[in-house]
Amino acid sequence: MTEKLDLDHLRQWIGRDTEASDIVTAQLVKGLRATLFQDIGEPKTGDAAPWTTHWCLAQPVFPMSQLGPDGHPTRGGFLPPVPLPRRMWAGGEIEFIEPLRVGDESTRTSRISDVTMKTGSTGVLCFVSVEHTITTPRGTAIRERQDIVYRDMGGAAPIAKAPPPPPVAKHRESHVSDPVLLFRYSALTFNGHRIHYDRDYVTKVEGYPGLIFHGPLQAALIVEFAAKLHGDSAPKKFSYRGVQPLFEGSEFSINANETHAGMELWIANAEGQPTMKGTATW
């Protein structure tokens, strides 16, 4: 049983900020292009990087002694010490202003903007929202809000009633959720979260049926698909939310339909059910 969640205490973290810098290297761009099913090429200084390259930059680095049993750093520090063991990306919103480029020194300024709590079908949920601004010597490149959700172990979510028929996509491409793909993205983002690579941990401790596909990797694939369909132009604004986990070992698809305001996009599992949904406007 997890200790009682003291929301008033956790909300004291609202307003805390931090800053970190990193350089966009050609090697990073090659690795990310390969992981996003793009042509790898030979990126040179000044070449545009994939649109969500910032998720690979300036990731926090902690010694092994400061990691928790799930592979994440122990709680506290910049993020509030939410006493719930499961932590995942719930969704967010990104404003793309300018692409990052090979050779850029980028700086990410982050701020805790909100901490909220609600009760869902699996118990108490705590949401932490973090605002990021990514800058380069040319100015602001990206503004973003990330929503992180924490929940108790409590077993997997109960089986819901039969879902509605999946939507029909005008644009669609398919890939396989291969464990090597998940490992590559964990390596690119220096993400030690065991749910993405440690099958014994994710099945025996957290109770999931297999390795879990990264939320940001799903979002990155959606953004690149949207840009490809729109003349290689990233949306001005992209909003997304996780619907259900996507697991290793099966086919998944990236889907899009035009709307009067832009595009609706989603990742779907092998059964055609959405695992992440997003909207994009230009």
Side-chain angles (χ1 to χ4, degrees), residues 258-272:
E258 284 90 1
T259 67
H260 70 281
M263 283 185 182
E264 61 174 2
L265 304 111
W266 67 98
I267 298 280
N269 59 23
E271 290 73 41

Side-chain angles (χ1 to χ4, degrees), residues 37 171-177 225 228 250-255 268-270:
F37 306 103
H171 308 283
R172 182 176 187 270
E173 66 177 44
S174 297
H175 302 284
V176 174
S177 177
F225 191 53
K228 182 169 66 174
S250 62
E251 185 179 271
F252 68 94
S253 59
I254 314 167
N255 306 270
N269 59 23

Side-chain angles (χ1 to χ4, degrees), residues 3 9 16 19 23 27 40 53 63-64 97 148 162-163 167 169 174 202 217 228 262:
E3 64 182 278
H9 174 64
R16 294 197 182 194
E19 186 176 285
I23 295 174
Q27 185 67 19
I40 299 172
T53 297
M64 295 295 293
I97 300 167
I148 304 166
S174 297
V202 76
L217 178 53
K228 182 169 66 174

Side-chain angles (χ1 to χ4, degrees), residues 43-240:
K44 297 178 176 57
T45 299
D47 288 352
W51 290 101
T52 56
T53 297
H54 63 291
W55 287 339
C56 303
L57 296 171
Q59 293 300 317
V61 177
F62 293 85
M64 295 295 293
S65 60
Q66 293 183 20
L67 300 183
D70 62 355
H72 274 310
T74 49
R75 306 302 169 89
F78 172 62
L79 289 172
V82 179
L84 297 171
R86 282 179 172 167
R87 167 185 160 184
M88 302 179 80
W89 282 36
E93 185 173 271
I94 312 174
E95 180 184 357
F96 293 102
I97 300 167
E98 185 189 64
L100 297 175
R101 298 184 179 278
V102 176
D104 279 348
E105 180 175 358
S106 72
T107 297
R108 180 185 64 244
T109 303
S110 306
R111 175 183 174 274
I112 306 294
S113 60
D114 202 5
V115 181
T116 59
M117 181 178 68
K118 73 175 186 178
T119 301
S121 60
T122 57
V124 174
L125 304 173
C126 183
F127 293 87
V128 177
S129 294
V130 186
E131 295 177 348
H132 303 284
T133 301
I134 316 297
T135 61
T136 72
R138 296 181 301 280
T140 301
I142 296 168
R143 294 189 184 94
E144 176 183 15
R145 188 197 77 247
Q146 290 176 6
D147 299 323
I148 304 166
V149 62
Y150 297 80
R151 61 182 289 264
D152 213 336
M153 288 296 187
I159 298 175
K161 63 181 181 180
V168 176
K170 179 179 179 181
H171 308 283
R172 182 176 187 270
E173 66 177 44
S174 297
H175 302 284
V176 174
S177 177
D178 186 279
V180 177
L181 174 68
L182 305 187
F183 169 80
R184 281 185 161 193
Y185 197 73
S186 287
L188 286 166
T189 55
F190 202 68
N191 184 351
H193 200 181
R194 290 181 182 273
I195 64 172
H196 305 303
Y197 63 85
D198 187 336
R199 192 173 288 107
D200 278 350
Y201 173 84
V202 76
T203 57
K204 296 177 181 178
V205 177
E206 297 217 7
Y208 291 105
L211 300 177
I212 298 176
F213 204 100
H214 309 68
L217 178 53
Q218 291 189 64
L221 290 167
I222 291 176
V223 167
E224 295 295 342
F225 191 53
K228 182 169 66 174
L229 294 173
H230 207 271
D232 293 325
S233 170
K236 289 183 179 178
K237 186 169 290 186
F238 172 64
S239 301
Y240 64 99

